[in-house]
Amino acid sequence: METVNKPALQVLDNGGGVTHACWSCGDMRAAHFCDSCGKLQPAVPTDYFSFFGLPRKLNVDTAALEREFYKLSRKLHPDLYARGASKEQEWSLEKSSQLNDAYRTLRDPIARTEYLLKLEGVHLEEQSKAATDKARQTGQEKKQVIPPELLEEVFELNMQLEEARMKKKMGEPDADLLREVENTRNDLQAKHDALMDELRGYWGEWDALPDNADEAQRKPARDKMVGLLNRRSYIRNLVRDVNEVLEN
């Protein structure tokens, strides 16, 4: 007897949202596999938290996340669908790609925070090395966000770096000056590392918000994380600039 695959259905769940039915048996399905027939389900656009069935919270059990990653990796591996329908092969490839991207982002504390902020519609100030290189190539001024508490220190550091570059170029490196620059670098690195503890505190504020929190409730914790990440990026770039002078 020939089996006829049923088309995917959309029905309203009790909460008024749209839920998909299994393309193969028509029963309600889970995100990746049908609970009834076990068939792989179509890949659909989704955020990384939802892919792993997680709420949009920042304190993540990374050990559990890793276990789920390897479990799904085995079940979604394209080799398992090599003899299946072409659409199942395609879905396994798409879902495997989604899985890798989601895991890579959520396991990293900074990437996870930046991703959640992106979902919130927040675009962080560009402080990346790529942006720095692009600015140098095009001659355009890169947008800088200098933390107010670092203004004086940054001014002094830039003077030191310029002097150190000039003396090296002239073949007259100043050992005392380079020692001062190295001490400044170490101080900045300590500031950079300490920000991680501060960020975890903001995670707690965010995670404590109710699921139905409105914009006014979300904004304080969100703004704190944005400010910290911009500050962290700026300090990281300063450390990179100092290392370039010390290493060349």
Side-chain angles (χ1 to χ4, degrees), residues 149-164 175-193 234-246:
E149 71 274 16
L150 289 177
L151 279 172
E152 185 175 343
E153 188 173 358
V154 169
F155 177 78
E156 178 66 25
L157 175 61
N158 285 334
M159 296 283 288
Q160 290 177 332
L161 292 179
E162 187 60 32
E163 183 179 357
D176 291 334
L177 175 60
L178 291 177
R179 245 188 321 271
E180 288 181 25
V181 171
E182 185 174 3
N183 289 336
T184 301
R185 188 270 310 275
N186 294 340
D187 180 58
L188 287 170
Q189 186 65 56
K191 285 184 170 69
H192 176 274
D193 296 343
Y234 189 83
I235 294 174
R236 183 191 62 216
N237 285 355
L238 284 177
V239 171
R240 187 194 64 231
D241 291 344
V242 172
N243 285 335
E244 288 179 355
V245 170
L246 292 174

Side-chain angles (χ1 to χ4, degrees), residues 41-67:
Q41 297 301 301
V44 295
T46 186
D47 68 80
Y48 295 159
F49 292 94
S50 298
F51 189 92
F52 277 103
L54 297 172
R56 290 187 183 181
K57 305 293 185 181
L58 288 165
N59 283 291
V60 171
D61 184 339
T62 53
L65 180 72
E66 182 178 25
R67 288 194 296 272

Side-chain angles (χ1 to χ4, degrees), residues 30-242:
H32 305 301
F33 304 93
C34 177
D35 289 332
S36 296
C37 69
K39 284 286 189 178
L40 176 66
Q41 297 301 301
V44 295
T46 186
D47 68 80
Y48 295 159
F49 292 94
S50 298
F51 189 92
F52 277 103
L54 297 172
R56 290 187 183 181
K57 305 293 185 181
L58 288 165
N59 283 291
V60 171
D61 184 339
T62 53
L65 180 72
E66 182 178 25
R67 288 194 296 272
E68 184 65 13
F69 168 73
Y70 284 115
K71 175 184 172 183
L72 285 173
S73 292
R74 290 189 292 270
K75 296 179 72 174
L76 293 172
H77 199 286
D79 286 353
L80 295 177
Y81 304 93
R83 296 184 179 181
S86 60
K87 59 185 176 184
E88 291 180 281
Q89 296 174 27
E90 180 181 346
W91 295 338
S92 70
L93 288 169
E94 292 177 8
K95 281 182 173 287
S96 292
S97 178
Q98 287 178 320
L99 172 66
N100 290 328
D101 290 342
Y103 177 64
R104 186 164 49 245
T105 298
L106 296 184
R107 72 177 177 179
D108 181 273
I110 300 301
R112 181 165 71 245
T113 307
E114 291 176 340
Y115 181 70
L116 182 136
L117 290 172
K118 182 180 178 181
L119 293 177
E120 284 285 303
V122 175
H123 298 283
L124 296 172
E125 301 292 354
E126 184 58 84
Q127 298 290 346
S128 67
K129 186 176 187 302
T132 301
D133 294 340
K134 181 179 179 181
R136 288 173 178 171
Q137 293 170 5
T138 61
Q140 296 176 344
E141 183 177 354
K142 190 185 77 169
K143 192 172 185 179
Q144 298 284 329
V145 182
I146 303 178
E149 71 274 16
L150 289 177
L151 279 172
E152 185 175 343
E153 188 173 358
V154 169
F155 177 78
E156 178 66 25
L157 175 61
N158 285 334
M159 296 283 288
Q160 290 177 332
L161 292 179
E162 187 60 32
E163 183 179 357
R165 290 188 187 102
M166 187 178 301
K167 287 183 177 292
K168 279 192 171 186
K169 188 175 182 179
M170 296 173 62
E172 302 172 356
D174 186 327
D176 291 334
L177 175 60
L178 291 177
R179 245 188 321 271
E180 288 181 25
V181 171
E182 185 174 3
N183 289 336
T184 301
R185 188 270 310 275
N186 294 340
D187 180 58
L188 287 170
Q189 186 65 56
K191 285 184 170 69
H192 176 274
D193 296 343
L195 289 175
M196 197 61 234
D197 288 334
E198 186 179 343
L199 180 60
R200 289 191 179 94
Y202 299 152
W203 286 358
E205 290 184 33
W206 177 267
D207 290 359
L209 292 172
D211 292 339
N212 61 348
D214 59 22
E215 171 66 14
Q217 292 173 300
R218 297 198 306 272
K219 190 174 187 301
R222 190 178 63 203
D223 287 353
K224 289 176 185 177
M225 290 188 286
V226 170
L228 184 145
L229 289 176
N230 281 329
R231 191 159 79 249
R232 182 181 182 277
S233 293
Y234 189 83
I235 294 174
R236 183 191 62 216
N237 285 355
L238 284 177
V239 171
R240 187 194 64 231
D241 291 344
V242 172

Side-chain angles (χ1 to χ4, degrees), residues 3-36:
T3 301
V4 178
N5 290 335
K6 300 178 182 179
L9 303 175
Q10 288 188 343
V11 298
L12 292 177
D13 63 20
N14 292 332
V18 174
T19 301
H20 293 278
C22 175
W23 63 271
S24 179
C25 71
D27 284 351
M28 292 301 96
R29 65 176 176 82
H32 305 301
F33 304 93
C34 177
D35 289 332
S36 296

